[in-house]
Amino acid sequence: MRELTKAEEQVMLILWEMKEGLVKDVIDRMLPPKPAYNTVSTVIRVLEGKGFIDHKAIGNTHIYFPIISEEQYKHFALDKVMNNYFENSYQSLVSFLVKEKNMDMDELDELIKLAEKLKNKES
């Protein structure tokens, strides 16, 4: 799997939400100023080439749909951030979040409970 550009990610977020759609449908869901049809069409073809989406043809119309789930991409993106910025240490990540986001004790307790819950699932 490869990292998405900002434009590719914007299109994927829309396709993940819609499940499938035409280029026009993707553009309709974009915020103004909306890009040109050809721009979005090119991004979609690039995503198809990268293996993120596929299409079904109905006559001259192509209906696009994701073949990589949002969940799969989240895992990929998190792994990349963990490797590049936190030396693969979840402790470093949590420490960063606590300091950077000024988490209060309730939020930190929730995070600890979630970690314990996930740890118990793995056991």
Side-chain angles (χ1 to χ4, degrees), residues 32-94:
K34 296 182 188 269
Y37 181 94
N38 287 343
T39 302
V40 176
S41 180
T42 298
V43 170
I44 285 176
R45 283 195 306 276
V46 168
L47 285 167
E48 195 168 16
K50 285 183 171 183
F52 278 85
I53 64 176
D54 202 354
H55 73 273
K56 52 188 170 190
I58 301 175
N60 289 336
T61 304
H62 289 129
I63 300 172
Y64 296 95
F65 54 91
I67 54 177
I68 298 290
S69 71
E70 186 174 7
E71 192 71 18
Q72 288 171 305
Y73 190 72
K74 282 180 185 178
H75 283 288
F76 166 79
L78 180 59
D79 286 347
K80 186 173 190 313
V81 167
M82 289 298 298
N83 289 330
N84 291 344
Y85 299 101
F86 298 102
E87 298 171 356
N88 237 3
S89 165
Y90 288 97
Q91 183 177 357
S92 294
L93 172 65
V94 171

Side-chain angles (χ1 to χ4, degrees), residues 1 6-8 26-27 30-32 34 45 54 58 65-66 70 72 75 83 89-90 95 98 100 102 112-113 122:
M1 190 176 309
K6 192 170 188 92
E8 292 166 351
V26 172
I27 295 168
M30 291 179 155
L31 297 174
K34 296 182 188 269
R45 283 195 306 276
D54 202 354
I58 301 175
F65 54 91
E70 186 174 7
Q72 288 171 305
H75 283 288
N83 289 330
S89 165
Y90 288 97
S95 175
V98 168
E100 195 66 24
N102 296 321
I112 290 167
K113 287 176 189 172
E122 291 176 2

Side-chain angles (χ1 to χ4, degrees), residues 89-111:
S89 165
Y90 288 97
Q91 183 177 357
S92 294
L93 172 65
V94 171
S95 175
F96 172 80
L97 290 173
V98 168
K99 290 176 191 170
E100 195 66 24
K101 299 300 178 187
N102 296 321
M103 294 177 78
D104 62 30
M105 288 307 294
D106 289 339
E107 291 173 314
L108 189 53
D109 283 342
E110 282 298 313
L111 191 57

